[in-house]
Amino acid sequence: MRCDPQRNACGWLCEKHNKHVRGDIRAFNGRGLDPLPADNWKRRLARSRAMILILAFVGIMILTGGHALGQTQKNPPADLTEMSLEDLMKIEVDTVFGASKYQQKVTEAPASVSIVTADEIQKYGYRTLADVLRSVRGFYISYDRNYSYVGVRGFGRPGDYNSRILLLVDGHRLNDAIYDGALIGSEFPIDVDLIERVEIIRGPSSSLYGTSAFFGVVNVITKRGKDLKAPEVSTEVGSYGTYKGRVSYGERFKNGLDMLFSTSYLNSHGPSRLFFKEFDDPSTHNGIAQDVDSDQSKSLFANFSFGDFRLQGVYGTREKGIPTASFATVFNDPRNRSTDAWGYLDLQYEHIFAHQWEVTARLSYDHYSYDGTYIYDSAGTGVPPFVENLDLAHAQWWGFEANVAKTFSEKHRITLGSEIRDNVQQDQNNHDLQPFAQYLDDRRDSSNWAVYVQDEFRIRKDLILNAGLRYDRYSTFGGDLNPRLALIYNPLQKTTVKLLYGRAFRAPNFYELFYQSYPDFKSSPFLKPETISTAELVLEQYLNKSIRFAASGFYSRIGDLINQQTDPADGMIQFRNVDRVNAKGVEFELEGRWTNGLQGRVGYTLQDSVSQQSGETLSNSPKHLSKVNFIVPLARKKLFAGIEGQYTSRRRSVEGTDIGGFFVTNVTLFGQKLAKGLDVSVGVYNLFDKRYADPGAEEHIQQAIEQDGRNLRLKLTYRF
């Protein structure tokens, strides 16, 4: 996960790495990153686009004609003007909490919002939070066989540990205090079965949340004891020797106490053989990484609520084998692995006092640790014994947040808030075991505080002005002020137009500021925050009580982007604020839900992110993203088919070559209450066994890293 600069492994490439060919049009075809003729590549892309158009057309026809399949709806009106007031009232509008720190309709939220529910997680067979995010418009996921990385609106920097997306669990910040990273794959410390809903809030949100709320906020809402009401066990088996088990208990008692306990365990052997053509040599096992892609994780979750108080405790750990020989480590050595552990306690208080004063307070404690083991051939002989290097990061912090809100004259809802965070431990260490050699032993602490204000002003019944402003102060670099403005207009009863503007920042993290190792890498204590300013126009239209259409156009300017550079004065590497990026795009989505259980959505994103320094499109930035999702009831309230297709267009590698686009189809059959208390899920992922790859980062020799082919999962859940 992290680098040892002593070995030319972070942010630059040694001569061995530079031998790879650059500049050809390339596509991943299952045998590695091989050149393909341009006309062949174009034909493949044309076929992929044709498939998307066909699926999108079928999806639109199903969505717009879906009422014909519904058993409880008969000839619904074609438009809202023909609907009765009673029918209009039946139109269900999702609500969101994370957009403004209180529950509101998504049509009134100052952002473009997507909601993924627990029901969808079950019926689409999502296994991780990364699967959930991969399914929504404008988002894409890259996987380097160690961590999962989220890209949004054309920005997904290889090697960035998701520091430009803020991840919350029930409002609790989950970005760590060293790398500012968000864990979203099997390393996410909460089982997806415990998720009630996921709120995806696009656009800058530093006016409420401060750092990392750069491209958006993901707020995971967990289940309560009342959602289980009984003990529950789940077990699953899958391809690559994967086994998982979960035991949960939830209850809401007559005295008002609500509690939920859960523990989960995952063990996956991983593919027994992975081929990397960059290592195709007898001295490196002919490019075959064998039995080195294992994944083990376990987690504990507890949730208590009583009256105005809620206490939540989370602990999760994940150990992952690294098969890619990243950071110039020894290929096919099973000792290369990373371990992440995260735990926190969060106590929250909410109360409505006299005269409708709403008060919320939160006190929390977090601990994060990363332990990486990397095996190096320091002597360059290719013969053991090799050197075992440990790369470590340990952090502890506590935080307090409070806000008060009140609605005045039924027009102004004003929220005032403040928070403080004290990072009592932010330690980084890198050393060899035998012979012992210390490269880094950095022990630090820091603090930051913030104040913010937000006003939702109903100018008139159909027009809302939402304005927010937050000031953050850091002990490391000083202060930053970030606004957000939203004008939300309802010209018709079910038509919403949003004009949005926001500014956000990302504070340089402690890895970027203080990681150093003489004579190759030096610290960068004078880094400034990255900034982003985004303007967006959103249209949300309910076509009838079952179908919703959404469209948005956005333009972002990113300044002081942090990248790595070599200082010509001494030849050492350091992080610097050296780049600016312009990003623009449009998004479309058509979504439908019917009372018979049929539901679906079709989405498309066109985006372009260009570096102002080089004038080129960013690496790992697809221009086109398409999503097709359907849940089809096969037997009423008993059996459902979840079908999804995801298209990602070609992307550039960090070395400037093109990695071909791909279309992946997943299908899940979900049986609900097939026997008393029993649910059964059978999922087939990458149904057509598409061979495709995600871009590697600069720590990889591989320009592209092959992803899994067709794989299966069988899951049984029993409620007592």
Side-chain angles (χ1 to χ4, degrees), residues 121-134:
I121 291 173
Q122 279 187 321
K123 291 174 181 174
Y124 286 120
Y126 297 145
R127 297 161 293 182
T128 64
L129 180 59
D131 285 346
V132 175
L133 298 179
R134 195 195 314 267

Side-chain angles (χ1 to χ4, degrees), residues 664-679:
V664 172
T665 304
N666 305 318
V667 177
T668 295
L669 293 178
F670 176 69
Q672 184 172 267
K673 298 179 181 178
L674 296 182
K676 184 178 180 180
L678 178 65
D679 294 345

Side-chain angles (χ1 to χ4, degrees), residues 8 32 43 88 100 133 141 145 162 202 212 271 286 292 329 357 405 427 462 497 526 598 639 648:
N8 295 326
R43 286 196 300 271
L88 286 171
S100 300
L133 298 179
I141 302 296
R145 310 210 74 88
N162 301 325
R202 299 171 181 83
S212 300
N286 296 311
V292 291
T329 53
W357 286 94
D427 298 345
D462 59 358
V497 179
F526 302 111
L598 175 68
L639 185 63
T648 303

Side-chain angles (χ1 to χ4, degrees), residues 577-597:
N577 299 99
V578 294
D579 203 359
R580 303 181 68 87
V581 173
N582 290 344
K584 57 186 177 181
V586 291
E587 298 175 341
F588 303 95
E589 185 174 75
L590 186 65
E591 182 179 17
R593 298 180 184 180
W594 289 269
T595 56
N596 70 327

